[in-house]
Amino acid sequence: EAQVVESGGGWVQPGESLRLSCFASGFIFKYHWMAWIRQAPGKGLEWVAHIKEDTTETYYADSVKGRFTISKDDANNALYLQMNSLRAADTAVYYCVRGGWELDVWGQGTTVTVSS
Amino acid sequence: DVVLTQSPLSLPVTLGQPASISCRSSQSLVYRDGNIYLNWFQQRPGQSPRRLIYKVSNRDSWVPDRFSGSGSGTDFTLKISSVEAEDVGVYYCMVCITPCNGLMQWPPFTFGPGTKLDIK
């Protein structure tokens, strides 16, 4: 069964950094686009970033461009999201999701809280 | 930018009764390969979202056949033929804006605001 499991969330102060990790199993990771999607408390879903299966292309929402970096380590079946210069508006549950348009496998999410 | 509008935003339904959720796009969603990459997701209370329907009308393997998706152009619908208690949650439509999995334009993905279904 295809699964992804996120980790790395926590509480940070505005301006600080955090690195989220996602470990995949049950599928051939290197063949898939991967994404991060977030959900602020009580709000809807917001796309954050995508990375192509071969890591040659990355895409970001305007709200995180220049601050967040998505990366992929096929040797370890891992997806990362480096988040710098965090803001209160980045407070959310962050989901690791398999796919480009497919978005067919979701993790349980990891919570990021940015507050002073 | 494509904007997805869902209606209703709140949907109280009696058990056993049908339910219908509309998702409308501000522009046509037909991609150059003829596909429409519109998906529906279900998020039960306290859980992660799960894909329910992909490319307008294809059910995922876990989805009961009481769920169906349809639509074309700019108007899409998710229907539940007979609501059960386990269907309570929020339903989101999502579209991959052309082009998908290629030279993406900005932004590449957008979600509808969500429709909250609960039992009367």
Side-chain angles (χ1 to χ4, degrees):
Chain A
E1 180 190 1
Q3 284 188 326
V4 293
V5 179
E6 306 93 334
S7 61
W11 177 84
V12 295
Q13 294 189 335
E16 294 186 340
S17 298
L18 207 57
R19 188 193 196 204
L20 305 184
S21 300
C22 166
F23 293 96
S25 61
F27 63 97
I28 303 175
F29 185 70
K30 66 180 180 180
Y31 290 158
H32 290 269
W33 287 65
M34 295 294 296
W36 289 98
I37 292 169
R38 68 185 181 184
Q39 186 171 35
K43 302 296 184 182
L45 300 172
E46 180 188 16
W47 171 76
V48 174
H50 247 99
I51 187 166
K52 193 176 179 182
E53 70 270 9
D54 62 4
T55 73
T56 57
E57 298 172 25
T58 57
Y59 303 90
Y60 299 92
D62 281 347
S63 57
V64 308
K65 202 184 301 183
R67 300 186 299 122
F68 289 13
T69 302
I70 187 172
S71 62
K72 193 169 177 273
D73 177 359
D74 290 339
N76 291 296
N77 287 354
L79 180 73
Y80 301 103
L81 186 68
Q82 178 65 44
M83 304 186 295
N84 299 330
S85 304
L86 282 161
R87 307 166 179 167
D90 297 319
T91 295
V93 176
Y94 285 72
Y95 296 104
C96 168
V97 190
R98 182 179 79 170
W101 65 267
E102 299 88 344
L103 300 183
D104 61 346
V105 178
W106 293 64
Q108 84 290 349
T110 187
T111 300
V112 173
T113 303
V114 184
S115 172
S116 55
Chain B
D1 294 356
V2 172
V3 176
L4 293 181
T5 304
Q6 286 184 234
S7 62
L9 297 182
S10 177
L11 183 57
V13 184
T14 301
L15 285 173
Q17 293 300 302
S20 180
I21 300 170
S22 169
C23 177
R24 288 184 172 164
S25 170
S26 57
Q27 60 185 263
S28 174
L29 300 179
V30 180
Y31 184 43
R32 58 192 175 194
D33 65 3
N35 287 310
I36 300 176
Y37 294 93
L38 184 128
N39 298 340
W40 290 94
F41 298 87
Q42 178 198 65
Q43 187 174 29
R44 290 173 172 163
Q47 295 186 13
S48 304
R50 288 192 296 177
R51 196 181 70 181
L52 191 68
I53 301 282
Y54 61 96
K55 288 199 291 181
V56 180
S57 59
N58 300 278
R59 274 193 306 271
D60 275 279
S61 58
W62 66 272
V63 179
D65 60 8
R66 64 179 180 273
F67 287 90
S68 64
S70 63
S72 61
T74 59
D75 290 342
F76 303 89
T77 303
L78 176 69
K79 291 184 178 178
I80 310 173
S81 60
S82 176
V83 170
E84 298 190 6
E86 66 179 14
D87 300 335
V88 166
V90 181
Y91 293 81
Y92 298 93
C93 57
M94 183 221 82
V95 66
C96 175
I97 301 167
T98 60
C100 298
N101 286 13
L103 295 175
M104 289 186 175
Q105 295 175 5
W106 202 258
F109 291 91
T110 192
F111 288 92
T115 294
K116 186 176 183 181
L117 184 149
D118 58 17
I119 305 300
K120 276 185 188 175

